Amino acid sequence: SDLKVAVLGVGMMGSYHATTLSSLVRGATVTVVNDFSAERAAEVAAATGARVVDDPFAAIADPDVDAVVIATPGAAHEAQVLACLDRGIPVLCEKPLTTSIDTAYAVVKAEAALGRSLIQVGFMRRFDAEYAALRELIAKGGLGDPLLVHCTHRNPDVPPHFNSEMMIRDSVVHEVDVIRFLLDEEITSVQVTRGRPTPSAPEGVSDPMMVTFTTEGGRIATDEIFVRTGVAYEVRTEVVGSQGSAFIGLDQNMLVKSTDGRWGGSITPGFVERFGQAYVTELQRWVAAATEGTIDGPGAWDGYAAVAVCEAGVEAVLTGETVAVQMGPRP
Ligand code: ISE
């Protein structure tokens, strides 16, 4: 029988997950939805056939729930993830795992004490076919020694409150996970250069910025973060190794040549067009694993590492210094 899933927080991401689970993913039924807004919860419940439970902890404890998707605001994650651990059920938590290094480490330790992998963090790029292929290529030595990773992360626009700190915590966090995923090692320092802002950036917000990371193995990674391009959703990565380089993020866009001797094509307008399939794969694999009482993807340690690197990144934005990443030992 189907895995019974509760979705906590049905804003943009949570409702997307709820709809994907109930329409495109095999083996799952969304039985319970919960949201801060009763009206919003009722809408998504009606669309997915789920029941509304007003309290998130009651939703986690509901007998009709085998596994949980958390898409509430970041500040709510810690207590909700811990409640899932207490009940011993698998949870897919959207980034960030928690909002501080200490609480994220406490979650890692709580899961380790339990001796089971129950927490998956929603870094869905790992499920994108191109990122997965790029990791494979690197792992089998196809580029020799990978020396550099260059990332580009552009959004067409964001709301006015999206400041430089959010550009690190909400946007660059994806490249933080991608870099760790591709190189299979930890990031050790972060430096941020705040460039001349685009005219549409609010006062005091540096958009674009250039982020430079170094890793345990002395490798360098860069990320151009530019969230108000006015153009499209452009996410690209190039890895340069001692024996070649590989580039992803353009191929999937159709290249059109026309009879007037011109070429052109479309650029993915949003995250759904760019990463929609990755979300479906992420959820499909999570449902299969959760049915067996486990996870299949980035775990609590990856969530903790991302929090630690972003914390250093925010300090780097504010101070202009190169900031060392502080991480405790892996339990
Ligand atoms: C957002 O939170 C995301 O996860 C998107 O993938 C990213 O492109 C965007 O910049 C973030 O705000």
Side-chain angles (χ1 to χ4, degrees), residues 245-317:
S245 61
F247 188 90
I248 61 162
L250 260 195
D251 260 350
Q252 37 123 31
N253 300 307
M254 188 170 41
L255 180 68
V256 180
K257 296 177 184 167
S258 55
T259 49
D260 59 359
R262 298 167 65 87
W263 67 267
S266 60
I267 313 174
T268 49
F271 78 95
V272 173
E273 294 81 1
R274 176 69 177 84
F275 287 118
Q277 185 55 47
Y279 283 104
V280 176
T281 306
E282 171 189 59
L283 287 171
Q284 185 65 71
R285 283 177 50 182
W286 177 73
V287 163
T291 303
E292 305 297 324
T294 188
I295 59 163
D296 181 10
W301 181 259
D302 301 300
Y304 164 61
V307 171
V309 174
C310 288
E311 209 57 50
V314 169
E315 194 184 325
V317 168

Side-chain angles (χ1 to χ4, degrees), residues 95 153 155 162 170-171 174 233:
K95 64 175 170 69
H153 187 159
N155 290 174
F162 206 93
D170 280 46
S171 308
H174 284 290
Y233 191 92

Side-chain angles (χ1 to χ4, degrees), residues 25-74:
V25 170
R26 267 164 286 118
T29 304
V30 180
T31 50
V32 166
V33 299
N34 157 268
D35 199 87
F36 179 74
S37 153
E39 201 183 308
R40 181 77 188 154
E43 264 172 50
V44 177
T48 55
R51 172 165 53 85
V52 175
V53 172
D54 286 330
D55 176 68
F57 298 98
I60 294 165
D62 197 285
D64 227 14
V65 169
D66 306 321
V68 178
V69 171
I70 297 179
T72 50

Side-chain angles (χ1 to χ4, degrees), residues 44 100 112 141 152 160 186 206 208 213 216 234 237 271 302:
V44 177
S100 76
T152 303
E186 299 298 346
S206 296
F213 303 92
E216 276 172 320
E234 297 167 88
T237 300
F271 78 95
D302 301 300

